[in-house]
Amino acid sequence: MALTQDRQSETGWLWSRLPLTPSNYQIDIEFKVWIPDTPDVSMDQANLRGDTHEQIGGGSGHLFGDGMAIWLTKSRAEYGPVFGSKDKFEGVGIFLDTYANTRHSYSFPRIMAMIGDGRTEYDLGGDGEKNSAGACSASIRRNDIKTMLRIRYKKDKSLEVLLQYKGWDEWTPCFEIKNISLPAMPYLGLTAITGEVHDAHDVISIASSSIVLNPPNLQIEEAPKKGRKSPFSASKEGEGSWFGTLFKLILLGGVVAAAYQVYVMYFLKGMNKRF
């Protein structure tokens, strides 16, 4: 699905109709930020026809933008200035920024996460540097392999972002945010925007799945040290209890037999006295 074409001043979005219900989940998104093949046009020809496309975005130009965003937020599908979505959002926005509005010590494209509390504004002029909760620089444009982004969220523990752009099934860690709590049942959204500079922003596929966390190990080997009974000691105890019960039954049977014998002897002795 094309969020934007390689044209100026376009905005596009794609939002889930239903929220994500798992507490822990993984999302894989294949996307493409690129420039369709166009014939080279000289700058004089472009100026004569009033076409700035080849100068500041796409074709033979070297500037491109503005970028796209991935959202996990409490609300959905609200237009705004932050890569085509609303500002002062509640949740997390992961921005794939391909154009620097100011000078930085790092390179672009830049992948950056902002944790929104519903009140804080995005630092648009500074490319979100004041809002950054985690970031990395990565060459995600015009790759020969599938470009993918993976989000792994573990409730109240961490949010991790990995990228596939160097080689197939070669996932490069981008950043990890510890002790993060996202809104329960957030909506998943993707948005993109172009301005004077532009790119084509396409979403190829989206796959989500729940993460099952492993329970703590029971550590049976250490149980006897803590005063607990291991399965082996319980088995031996059960075996001893069974033999003890059998011995008691045999003993009881012997007592009953002896009592019966005494009774018979007493009865016969009484009969002899009568005759």
Side-chain angles (χ1 to χ4, degrees):
M1 177 177 179
L3 297 179
T4 70
Q5 301 180 73
D6 183 28
R7 295 178 181 175
Q8 294 179 340
S9 304
E10 287 202 348
T11 303
W13 56 263
L14 176 66
W15 284 90
S16 62
R17 293 184 178 274
L18 299 175
L20 296 173
T21 55
S23 298
N24 311 288
Y25 46 82
Q26 175 175 299
I27 303 171
D28 288 346
I29 301 171
E30 182 185 349
F31 63 94
K32 188 176 182 181
V33 181
W34 63 301
I35 298 169
D37 293 332
T38 55
D40 290 338
V41 179
S42 68
M43 187 169 294
D44 291 337
Q45 290 175 320
N47 290 332
L48 286 173
R49 69 186 191 187
D51 185 5
T52 59
H53 176 279
E54 309 299 331
Q55 301 174 50
I56 58 176
S60 59
H62 64 280
L63 299 179
F64 40 81
D66 282 305
M68 58 188 295
I70 302 167
W71 305 93
L72 289 166
T73 53
K74 195 172 183 179
S75 59
R76 65 178 293 275
E78 296 182 68
Y79 175 78
V82 185
F83 295 92
S85 191
K86 65 172 289 188
D87 202 351
K88 299 181 180 180
F89 57 90
E90 189 171 352
V92 63
I94 300 172
F95 309 134
L96 286 66
D97 195 344
T98 55
Y99 181 79
N101 292 316
T102 186
R103 291 181 177 273
H104 298 284
S105 59
Y106 43 81
S107 61
F108 279 69
R110 185 77 170 171
I111 294 85
M112 188 271 285
M114 172 181 173
I115 309 301
D117 56 8
R119 302 181 301 274
T120 304
E121 293 184 352
Y122 172 69
D123 176 26
L124 184 62
D127 300 306
E129 188 169 18
K130 295 179 181 179
N131 313 115
S132 177
C136 71
S137 298
S139 179
I140 57 172
R141 295 184 68 258
R142 306 186 70 177
N143 290 322
D144 295 331
I145 66 164
K146 292 182 178 180
T147 307
M148 299 183 69
L149 183 144
R150 172 172 291 174
I151 302 169
R152 292 177 59 88
Y153 175 66
K154 299 175 184 177
K155 183 180 178 182
D156 301 331
K157 294 183 178 180
S158 65
L159 183 144
E160 186 179 8
V161 171
L162 304 97
L163 297 167
Q164 176 188 278
Y165 69 99
K166 296 179 179 179
W168 171 248
D169 204 28
E170 181 181 344
W171 291 96
T172 303
C174 182
F175 59 82
E176 183 176 8
I177 306 171
K178 298 287 189 179
N179 303 318
I180 177 175
S181 296
L182 296 182
M185 301 176 63
Y187 291 96
L188 172 63
L190 293 97
T191 62
I193 192 170
T194 65
E196 291 187 2
V197 294
H198 42 92
D199 259 333
H201 301 88
D202 296 347
V203 178
I204 310 302
S205 66
I206 304 173
S208 63
S209 59
S210 60
I211 298 176
V212 179
L213 301 180
N214 293 327
N217 294 328
L218 296 180
Q219 297 182 345
I220 296 176
E221 298 80 6
E222 297 181 6
K225 298 180 182 180
K226 298 180 180 180
R228 300 177 183 176
K229 298 175 181 178
S230 69
F232 301 102
S233 61
S235 175
K236 291 178 181 179
E237 180 182 355
E239 185 179 357
S241 299
W242 185 82
F243 279 113
T245 303
L246 180 61
F247 177 77
K248 291 178 182 179
L249 290 175
I250 295 173
L251 182 61
L252 179 61
V255 172
V256 171
Y260 178 77
Q261 186 176 5
V262 171
Y263 172 78
V264 171
M265 292 177 62
Y266 179 81
F267 180 77
L268 292 177
K269 185 177 181 181
M271 292 292 294
N272 292 332
K273 287 181 179 181
R274 290 180 186 180
F275 293 101

